[in-house]
Amino acid sequence: MAKRNKIPAFTLSEMLVVIALTAVVVAMAFSVLSLVQRQMKGMEENFAKDTGLELLEQALWLDFNRYRVVSFNPSSDEIHFRTELDSVYYQLHENRVIKYPDTFNIRFPVKKFYRDGREVTGGIIDALQLETSSDTIGNRKLFVFKKNDATQYMNQSKH
């Protein structure tokens, strides 16, 4: 009589248990991956909004201190920066600010303009305050001003 040697192997039920456990682990990994991807997307969007706000603030600071005359036109929602040789303007739309060629996708529901420390509704300004809404970046305030030189006051007295 011939001896039968038993070959070591897994049974069908053991293989089914391993496949079921592998499926559960893979499903958990995909759900965690999905949560991490959503979190990363939210962080990326917040970073982009913060960066956009910082770039807008930097551009406004540069223009406020580069141009001699700054004015706000309430009918067109535009801020004009002028010198004798050059000018630039910002368009304040409902959900964005445009300064050619840049577009800042930030919503500013509160816009205040100042002249000599007093709030004004239009005309020549020397400071502005823009506030973001709490649904975008959080309540962030952007305050930009310029120091007026004596020539502006002298030119006003001539008119």
Side-chain angles (χ1 to χ4, degrees), residues 15-157:
M15 291 302 291
L16 289 175
V17 167
V18 168
I19 290 173
L21 287 174
T22 303
V24 168
V25 168
V26 168
M28 288 174 41
F30 275 113
S31 66
V32 168
L33 179 64
S34 173
L35 289 172
V36 168
Q37 285 177 331
R38 272 190 261 147
Q39 188 71 21
M40 291 297 290
K41 184 177 179 183
M43 289 169 51
E44 183 180 317
E45 289 173 358
N46 286 341
F47 179 75
K49 289 176 183 176
D50 282 344
T51 302
L53 185 64
E54 289 172 10
L55 289 173
L56 176 61
E57 182 178 22
Q58 183 180 18
L60 284 168
W61 273 109
L62 289 171
D63 289 338
F64 256 89
N65 291 296
R66 181 182 300 152
Y67 292 93
R68 290 175 24 106
V69 179
V70 183
S71 62
F72 174 68
N73 183 348
S75 63
S76 61
D77 250 2
E78 291 181 346
I79 304 170
H80 291 265
F81 296 86
R82 292 188 304 271
T83 62
E84 291 78 17
L85 302 175
D86 191 19
S87 68
V88 69
Y89 65 95
Y90 290 72
Q91 294 175 328
L92 305 174
H93 294 279
E94 184 177 335
N95 292 321
R96 66 188 172 278
V97 176
I98 298 176
K99 174 196 175 192
Y100 183 79
D102 299 323
T103 300
F104 303 95
N105 292 315
I106 304 170
R107 185 171 177 263
F108 293 107
V110 177
K111 299 172 243 177
K112 296 179 182 178
F113 303 94
Y114 299 93
R115 169 80 174 155
D116 294 329
R118 287 180 292 243
E119 191 172 344
V120 295
T121 57
I124 302 291
I125 61 171
D126 57 13
L128 65 85
Q129 179 178 333
L130 303 173
E131 292 182 32
T132 62
S133 60
S134 59
D135 61 338
T136 55
I137 305 175
N139 257 351
R140 301 257 319 258
K141 292 182 182 179
L142 180 81
F143 186 77
V144 182
F145 66 93
K146 69 180 251 155
K147 295 180 181 177
N148 292 323
D149 57 359
T151 57
Q152 273 193 324
Y153 297 108
M154 291 170 49
N155 289 339
Q156 276 184 335
S157 63

